[in-house]
Amino acid sequence: MNPLKFSDLGLSDPIQLALKSRNHLTPTPIQAKAIPELLKGSDVLGIAQTGTGKTAAFALPILHRLAQNRGNGKRRDPRALVLAPTRELAIQIGEEFAAYGKNLHLRQCVIFGGVKQNPQVNALKRGVDIIIATPGRLLDLMRQGFINLNAAGFLVLDEADRMLDMGFIPDIEFICSKLPDARQTMLFSATMPPPIEKLAKKFLDNPKRIEVSRAATTNK
């Protein structure tokens, strides 16, 4: 049997071009399992280590679906939110979204603390489709009135166990309460301690559980 290729997954032509330009032809196990479910609109609970290709597993279907429905052309409120535990991971996820979405003309903004907020605020004022953020700075900008999540139909909680370790769960619960109930939610975590199981039950709707063994990880 021939191995599954990205071209078999039903992703749009602009995304296929971006994948080919990066010489990404064959999906990793988590990508092969998660992308079809996410394209169908299912919530996904992914248990996967760093290095399994999980960023593309959620970025590609989000980009595909955002590009299919561009809205009314007015000022853009964010339609997708990705939460990550650290500035470094948020930046890395932002780079992946930019690379895979380079032919789609979608706008994104990476939000994190430790730097002045003005460039981030200016990007938000211009309108963005995708926000990739650490919880603390996102919450700060929400409280200042710079971010409205009423149109955010996609939510990703990445490395949820690390966010638990860093004490972000109350922030995440508050942020989730500001998103529409009718949304697609993806939670990825290397481990599933009881607080993360509880979070998943609270915010995911009948999710597809996808588990990838350590054998699938790449060496650092």
Side-chain angles (χ1 to χ4, degrees):
M1 195 171 86
N2 292 329
L4 188 73
K5 292 186 169 63
F6 277 114
S7 55
D8 302 322
L9 295 179
L11 295 162
S12 67
D13 290 343
I15 293 175
Q16 299 281 7
L17 284 171
L19 284 161
K20 285 178 184 173
S21 74
R22 303 183 75 189
N23 203 30
H24 291 183
L25 305 177
T26 306
T28 67
I30 194 162
Q31 292 162 4
K33 292 175 183 176
I35 289 171
E37 295 294 345
L38 292 171
L39 289 176
K40 286 192 292 188
S42 301
D43 285 4
V44 161
L45 175 60
I47 303 163
Q49 313 288 323
T50 300
T52 53
K54 61 184 167 62
T55 301
F58 60 77
L60 294 171
I62 288 173
L63 289 165
H64 175 92
R65 297 187 67 199
L66 288 177
Q68 280 188 321
N69 180 15
R70 292 189 175 272
N72 56 19
K74 296 179 181 176
R75 179 184 174 274
R76 303 183 197 184
D77 282 325
R79 296 187 289 145
L81 171 64
V82 181
L83 289 177
T86 65
R87 158 185 179 161
E88 292 76 19
L89 183 59
I91 291 169
Q92 181 185 327
I93 293 170
E95 289 170 349
E96 293 292 291
F97 266 92
Y100 291 127
K102 65 181 181 179
N103 304 315
L104 295 175
H105 311 294
L106 296 168
R107 294 183 194 171
Q108 67 181 61
C109 179
V110 182
I111 290 172
F112 50 82
V115 296
K116 290 185 177 178
Q117 71 176 38
N118 288 355
Q120 298 170 5
V121 169
N122 289 338
L124 292 166
K125 286 180 177 177
R126 288 192 294 270
V128 297
D129 298 288
I130 304 157
I131 290 177
I132 301 112
T134 54
R137 173 57 65 89
L138 179 75
L139 206 52
D140 193 19
L141 295 181
M142 286 171 66
R143 286 172 173 153
Q144 293 178 60
F146 292 122
I147 297 174
N148 180 347
L149 296 174
N150 288 344
F154 302 92
L155 170 65
V156 180
L157 305 175
D158 195 20
E159 302 207 354
D161 49 355
R162 289 182 67 192
M163 291 200 277
L164 169 68
D165 292 341
M166 296 169 74
F168 283 137
I169 298 302
D171 292 349
I172 291 168
E173 291 186 330
F174 178 82
I175 291 163
C176 288
S177 74
K178 301 300 179 184
L179 276 82
D181 291 334
R183 64 168 189 266
Q184 186 177 22
T185 305
M186 299 144 245
L187 187 151
F188 291 87
S189 190
T191 60
M192 290 299 294
I196 299 301
E197 291 274 12
K198 185 179 175 184
L199 193 73
K201 284 178 183 174
K202 185 173 181 180
F203 292 114
L204 276 69
D205 180 20
N206 192 27
K208 300 294 181 182
R209 188 179 179 112
I210 296 170
E211 192 158 358
V212 177
S213 66
R214 286 179 179 271
T217 63
T218 55
N219 292 324
K220 287 187 180 180

